[in-house]
Amino acid sequence: MAECGRVDSNTSHAMDKSITLPPDEIFRNLENAKRFAIDIGGSLTKLAYYSTVQHKVAKVRSFDHTAKEAAGGKLYEISMQEEVTARLHFIKFENAYIETCLDFIKDHLVNTETKVIKATGGGAHKFKELIERKLGLKVDKEDEMTCLIKGCNFVLKNIPHEAFVYAKHADSEFRFQTTNPDIFPYLLVNIGSGVSIVKVESEDKFERIGGSSIGGGTFWGLGALLTKTKRFDELLQLASKGQHASVDMLVKDIYGGSYGYLGLTGDLIASSFGKSATADKDFSKEDMAKSLLHMISNDIGQLACLYAKLHNLSRVYFGGFFIRGHPVTMHTITYSINFFTKGEVQALFLRHEGYLGTIGAFLKGAEEDNPNQYSWGENYAGSSGLMSVSPDMNPMQRARSGTFDMLEMDRLERQLVNLPLLQDPSSYIPDTVDLTEDALAREYWLYCFEEALDGVVKRAVASQPDMPEAALRAEKFRQKYRHKLQTLRQQPFAYGSLTVRSLLDTREHCLNEFNFPDPYSKIKQRENDIALKYYQKAVKSLDELSWEEKQFALVRGVLAGNVFDWGAKAVSEPAFMPLGGQTDFCIFFFIPLSERPWLVDSYDQWLERLKGPPHKCALFFVDNSGVDIILGVMPFVRELLSRGTEVVLASNSGPALNDVTNGELQILTERIAAMDPVIEAGLREDRLLLVQSGSSSPCLDLSRLDKVLAMVVRERQTDLVIIEGMGRAIHTNYYAMLSCESLKMAVIKNSWLADRLGGKLFSVVFKYEVPAGKPNKDCGAFSPS
C-alpha cells in the first residue's frame, strides 16, 4: 500500500485529500509500463501509460489419434498458456496528488522503452521541471488542440456508448448513442477557461472555426466574486440547489405571462441577473450561482448552434473542464441547444471527455506502434464507471470517486468492423432491452447475476484443480464482480447502456483479470466427446425421414441442442441421460420444447422458402459446444451444403461460458469430416469455412466483428444470416435489420424472461425475416422490453 497525498486534517476536504493507493488498483501493471503521456489542466492531472499484460489463455490442440484410438480417447487436449497483450491505462487525479503520485510511479517503474514523456495541457509547462526530476524523463510538449481531437476520434471509434444525451427528467438521465461507423464530420465544443469550437472533418483534418472568452473561467471567476466560493465543484454544488428565477428576469416578469406573438413562454429568461438591478434585497449564493450557470451555458449553447448551422453539422460534442459530468451544466446546455435549433441538433456529451487530451498525447508518442491500426476495447474490470451526476446521491461516494478515476483499454487481436449486411449501421442497436430505462428488468437481472456468483466461483476453482491459489483468486474475482454489480445498482449508466450483454461481458473481464480464462473448458471437452459419438446415428436418423419431416427435424434439432446451456439456470446438465440403463440418441428429441405454434413462429414461411432456389451463402453465428454445435448445427449445415449453399460458420475468437470457440470448432469439424463425406467435401471444396467472429462474449454485437469475417461475407455474396441462442438472438439482435434474409432461433431458458414475453419456460422463438423490397409475410413479433 502506498500513501499518495496528504493535507492538513483540519481542512474541510481532508477526506478526499488523503487516500491510500493500493498499487494493484490504481497504477496497475506499472512495472511493465513502456510509454507515458500526461495532460495537466488547472486542477486535474490525467496520466496515460502503455503496458504489457501477461495473462493465462486456454488453448486446445488436437490429439494425433488413429481412428481406433480416437473412438476411446479424448478428442483434444487443453493447456493453459501465458500470453502477453497490450493495455492502455488512463488515470485522472487532482493536481494536489501530482508530486506523491510521481514518486509512486518512480518507485515502481522497472523499465520503460522511452526516455520522453509526451505532455499537453496548460500545466505541462508549470510542472515540467518536477516531472523531469521525479521520473528522469524528458518532457516533450504537444499541441493541446491536436491532442484533444486525436483523443476524441479515438474514443468515438473504440468505445461503444461513449457519447450520450443528458435528459434530466427522463426515467434514465442518460441516453447513450450507438457507435457510428462514420464519425466525421462533427463539431467539438471544448469548454475550458474559454471556449474553442472546432470542426473535425477527418482523422487529421480539423479547424478551429470559433470560440468565446466566456467559458468555465468566467463562471469560476464571477462565481467567486459573487459567492466568495473559491472551489469550482462547490460553485456547481451551489448552483444545483439554486432557483435562478429569483435573480433572472423572466418573460412573464415583463409581460405578465407568455409573449405568444413571438412564441416566447413566460418562464423563458428575458434578462440574466435582471432582477438584481431593481430588487432591494440580498440574493442567496445558490440563486446567483444558478443564474450565472444558466447565463454562460445558454450563451455557449447558442454559439454552438450558430456554428453548427453555419457549417451544416448535426453532431455537436461538448467537453472540457466546465462539463465534468455535472447535471446542471449538461441540462442547461442541452436545453439551450434544443431551444435554439428546435430539436434539430442534439447536445452530446462524452463518458471519457476528461481523458481526450492525454489519449491524444499518448497517440502522438506512440505513432510508431500504429495504435490506430488496431481495435481497442474498454476493460470493465479495470475501469471506473461514470459516477452519478445527482448532487444528492451519496456525496461521500462522489467525493471519493471524484478523487481518482481510471480507464483501461485492451488492444484486441483483430480489427473490428460492421457486418456489411446491416441495413443501416448508424441506427443498429445490438441490445434488445436497455436496463437503465427498465427498472423492473434491471433489478431482476442484477439479482440474477448476483445470485449466480457462488456457482461461477465454484466453477472457476474446479476448472483449475492443480492450482492451490485458485481459491484465493476466485474470491478476489467474487469481490470485484460483486462490487461492479453494487455500483451498477446505484449507477446503472456507469459503463454506458446497462444490458444483459454488458453484465455478461463485465463478468468475463473480471474472470480474465484473475486468470480464469475458460472455466468451462473441461465441461466443453467432455460434452464434445460425448456428442461426437452420436453424430453418425443422428445423420442416419435424419436421412430416413421424408423431405418435410427432415426440415422440421433439423430446425428442432438446432433448438433442442441449444437448450443445454451452462449459462442458463434452468438447464445446466449434459444432454444425454441414461434411460433404462442405456443412452440413446432418440432421447435428444424428447427434451422439453414447446409445441407449435411457437411463441414466435414463422416456420411455415421458412419451409416455403426452402422449396425455392438455394441460398448462395449462409453466415451462421453458432453458440454452444457439445450437443448444440455437433448434433444441432452440423446436421443443419450439412443440409445447406447438400442444397448447394456455401456456409460460413462464425464462432467466438475467445471463450465465454460454454460457447464453442474457433479453435475448438476447427478440431470438431475435422473430426466430423472424417465421418461425413458431405462435411468433408464442403471443407475440401472451400464451400464450408470456419471464421472467428472477433468476439469473446456470450452475446453478439454485429458492429464489432472480425474484419476478415466481413471480407468473407462480401466476397461470398452472403444472402442468409442465421443467429442462434438466447444471448445472440434475443438479448441481442432480436430487432437487428439486415439487408438479406435472416433466421433467428432460440429457446427461452429463463422463467422470468419467458413469463415477461408471454410464454413459458422452453418457449421457442423462430423468426424468419425477409428485408423490405422482397416478398414477405408476417413473421411474428414480441416485445421483450
Side-chain angles (χ1 to χ4, degrees), residues 244-245 247-254 268-275 278:
H244 76 94
V247 183
D248 294 338
M249 187 174 290
L250 308 181
V251 168
K252 64 184 178 184
D253 294 323
I254 299 174
L268 201 66
I269 298 172
S271 175
S272 295
F273 286 91
K275 290 179 181 175
T278 56

Side-chain angles (χ1 to χ4, degrees), residues 555 598 600-603 606 743-745 764-768:
V555 166
W598 292 322
V600 177
D601 192 338
S602 51
Y603 176 75
W606 170 248
L743 191 55
K744 300 166 187 175
M745 296 184 279
V764 169
V765 170
F766 187 92
K767 190 179 186 187
Y768 169 60

Side-chain angles (χ1 to χ4, degrees), residues 311-613:
H311 292 270
N312 196 29
L313 296 171
S314 59
R315 282 176 284 193
V316 183
Y317 297 101
F318 289 84
F321 172 79
F322 184 62
I323 306 292
R324 292 181 67 178
H326 282 275
V328 182
T329 311
M330 293 191 295
H331 175 65
T332 50
I333 288 176
T334 298
Y335 181 87
S336 176
I337 290 285
N338 287 338
F339 178 82
F340 289 115
T341 69
K342 294 180 171 59
E344 293 178 3
V345 175
Q346 283 187 320
L348 293 163
F349 304 95
L350 300 170
R351 274 206 294 142
H352 299 103
E353 61 90 11
Y355 293 116
L356 302 186
T358 189
I359 290 173
F362 176 83
L363 293 173
K364 288 285 288 182
E367 287 173 345
E368 65 268 29
D369 292 334
N370 296 318
N372 279 318
Q373 299 300 311
Y374 299 92
S375 290
W376 299 78
E378 183 174 5
N379 175 24
Y380 296 134
S383 297
S384 304
L386 186 69
M387 62 183 173
S388 173
V389 298
S390 173
D392 301 320
M393 184 176 180
N394 201 343
M396 291 291 281
Q397 182 185 6
R398 164 176 273 279
R400 175 68 79 184
S401 61
T403 304
F404 285 88
D405 188 55
M406 293 164 288
L407 166 65
E408 286 186 355
M409 299 187 69
D410 290 334
R411 193 176 79 186
L412 307 178
E413 289 185 17
R414 320 190 68 80
Q415 197 166 357
L416 304 183
V417 297
N418 281 299
L419 177 68
L421 298 172
L422 283 174
Q423 205 169 88
D424 180 12
S426 64
S427 64
Y428 168 69
I429 299 174
D431 303 289
T432 306
V433 179
D434 185 346
L435 301 181
T436 63
E437 300 177 11
D438 189 330
L440 187 63
R442 177 172 71 245
E443 186 53 40
Y444 169 76
W445 286 112
L446 287 171
Y447 166 78
C448 188
F449 276 87
E450 190 159 10
E451 186 186 37
L453 193 48
D454 286 345
V456 177
V457 169
K458 288 177 183 177
R459 176 57 47 201
V461 175
S463 71
Q464 299 179 2
D466 301 326
M467 298 183 182
E469 83 289 353
L472 179 60
R473 284 187 283 113
E475 187 55 37
K476 288 183 177 179
F477 154 74
R478 182 208 302 273
Q479 292 172 9
K480 166 137 317 192
Y481 188 58
R482 178 169 285 152
H483 173 72
K484 295 288 181 185
L485 293 175
Q486 289 168 347
T487 298
L488 291 167
R489 187 166 271 115
Q490 296 297 320
Q491 299 156 213
F493 42 77
Y495 298 98
S497 292
L498 179 62
T499 63
V500 172
R501 175 171 64 99
S502 69
L503 288 169
L504 285 164
D505 289 350
T506 302
R507 188 168 70 184
E508 292 297 321
H509 290 186
C510 291
L511 281 167
N512 282 313
E513 197 65 36
F514 295 102
N515 274 324
F516 294 106
D518 194 356
Y520 293 84
S521 58
K522 289 184 172 63
I523 291 174
K524 290 188 290 180
Q525 181 188 44
R526 184 177 73 245
E527 293 185 355
N528 287 332
D529 288 339
I530 294 173
L532 272 173
K533 295 175 183 177
Y534 292 89
Y535 177 79
Q536 288 176 302
K537 185 177 288 189
V539 169
K540 184 174 183 295
S541 300
L542 289 163
D543 286 344
E544 291 171 352
L545 300 173
S546 68
W547 183 82
E548 287 207 7
E549 288 175 332
K550 184 178 182 181
Q551 303 315 309
F552 184 70
L554 286 167
V555 166
R556 201 173 190 284
V558 173
L559 293 166
N562 192 248
V563 166
F564 294 94
D565 186 352
W566 285 87
K569 181 180 178 182
V571 182
S572 58
E573 293 297 330
F576 299 101
M577 301 179 187
L579 183 64
Q582 295 183 353
T583 302
D584 196 278
F585 168 74
C586 67
I587 298 175
F588 176 59
F589 289 102
F590 290 100
I591 65 166
L593 286 183
S594 62
E595 296 299 318
R596 293 190 65 200
W598 292 322
L599 183 63
V600 177
D601 192 338
S602 51
Y603 176 75
D604 291 340
Q605 291 90 330
W606 170 248
L607 187 64
E608 284 301 309
R609 173 63 184 86
L610 290 178
K611 294 175 183 176

Side-chain angles (χ1 to χ4, degrees), residues 21-319:
L21 294 183
D24 62 337
E25 286 297 326
I26 305 297
F27 296 101
R28 288 150 46 90
N29 305 304
L30 190 58
E31 67 278 6
N32 298 317
K34 306 293 182 185
R35 190 174 289 107
F36 286 91
I38 198 164
D39 175 14
I40 308 176
S43 63
L44 294 173
T45 295
K46 285 79 69 176
L47 176 74
Y49 62 94
Y50 163 96
S51 77
T52 52
V53 182
Q54 193 166 12
H55 58 92
K56 294 186 184 298
V57 293
K59 297 284 188 181
V60 295
R61 185 175 71 86
S62 179
F63 283 117
D64 186 17
H65 283 180
T66 64
K68 184 178 179 180
E69 290 170 333
K74 291 181 178 178
L75 180 66
Y76 56 84
E77 63 176 332
I78 305 162
S79 61
M80 299 287 281
Q81 299 178 16
E82 294 290 338
E83 194 171 87
V84 175
T85 55
R87 178 172 289 173
L88 297 180
H89 305 257
F90 303 99
I91 303 162
K92 182 166 60 180
F93 52 86
E94 295 175 16
N95 286 351
Y97 295 98
I98 188 166
E99 188 160 356
T100 45
C101 286
L102 289 173
D103 278 334
F104 181 86
I105 294 168
K106 180 184 177 182
D107 291 343
H108 290 80
L109 192 61
V110 177
N111 179 39
T112 180
E113 293 176 351
T114 180
K115 297 300 178 186
V116 176
I117 182 169
K118 292 288 184 179
T120 188
H125 178 76
K126 177 181 177 182
F127 291 101
K128 179 176 182 293
E129 184 182 335
L130 175 67
I131 296 167
E132 292 182 336
R133 175 166 50 85
K134 292 283 187 183
L135 298 185
L137 303 175
K138 181 178 178 293
V139 172
D140 186 4
K141 197 172 187 307
E142 292 290 343
D143 176 68
E144 193 170 355
M145 195 56 63
T146 301
C147 291
L148 190 72
I149 301 305
K150 274 188 171 291
C152 192
N153 293 341
F154 186 82
V155 297
L156 287 175
K157 287 191 301 182
N158 286 285
I159 304 182
H161 300 154
E162 171 63 28
F164 62 89
V165 173
Y166 181 70
K168 181 180 179 182
H169 300 297
D171 291 339
S172 174
E173 297 167 289
F174 299 88
R175 298 291 168 88
F176 291 93
Q177 308 293 295
T178 54
T179 304
N180 194 314
D182 183 12
I183 64 173
F184 306 110
Y186 66 84
L187 198 70
L188 178 63
V189 181
N190 192 58
I191 313 170
S193 298
V195 180
S196 287
I197 300 177
V198 185
K199 179 183 179 181
V200 185
E201 297 184 74
S202 68
E203 195 67 50
D204 297 305
K205 185 179 179 182
F206 63 90
E207 177 187 4
R208 186 183 188 277
I209 56 175
S212 172
S213 62
I214 301 173
T218 313
F219 174 68
W220 200 352
L222 284 178
L225 290 173
L226 289 168
T227 69
K228 308 304 179 187
T229 299
K230 297 295 184 183
R231 285 174 59 88
F232 188 85
D233 283 332
E234 284 186 6
L235 195 58
L236 284 170
Q237 189 74 4
L238 287 174
S240 70
K241 298 175 181 177
Q243 299 294 327
H244 76 94
S246 301
V247 183
D248 294 338
M249 187 174 290
L250 308 181
V251 168
K252 64 184 178 184
D253 294 323
I254 299 174
Y255 297 104
S258 63
Y259 195 155
Y261 183 74
L262 294 180
L264 302 178
T265 64
D267 291 330
L268 201 66
I269 298 172
S271 175
S272 295
F273 286 91
K275 290 179 181 175
S276 63
T278 56
D280 186 18
K281 66 172 186 176
D282 292 330
F283 297 96
S284 73
K285 293 179 180 181
E286 291 81 2
D287 293 348
M288 289 189 291
K290 186 65 166 286
S291 175
L292 181 61
L293 185 60
H294 273 296
M295 181 181 78
I296 292 170
S297 297
N298 285 332
D299 182 67
I300 293 171
Q302 185 173 25
L303 197 61
C305 289
L306 292 172
Y307 277 105
K309 286 189 173 183
L310 183 64
H311 292 270
N312 196 29
L313 296 171
S314 59
R315 282 176 284 193
V316 183
Y317 297 101
F318 289 84

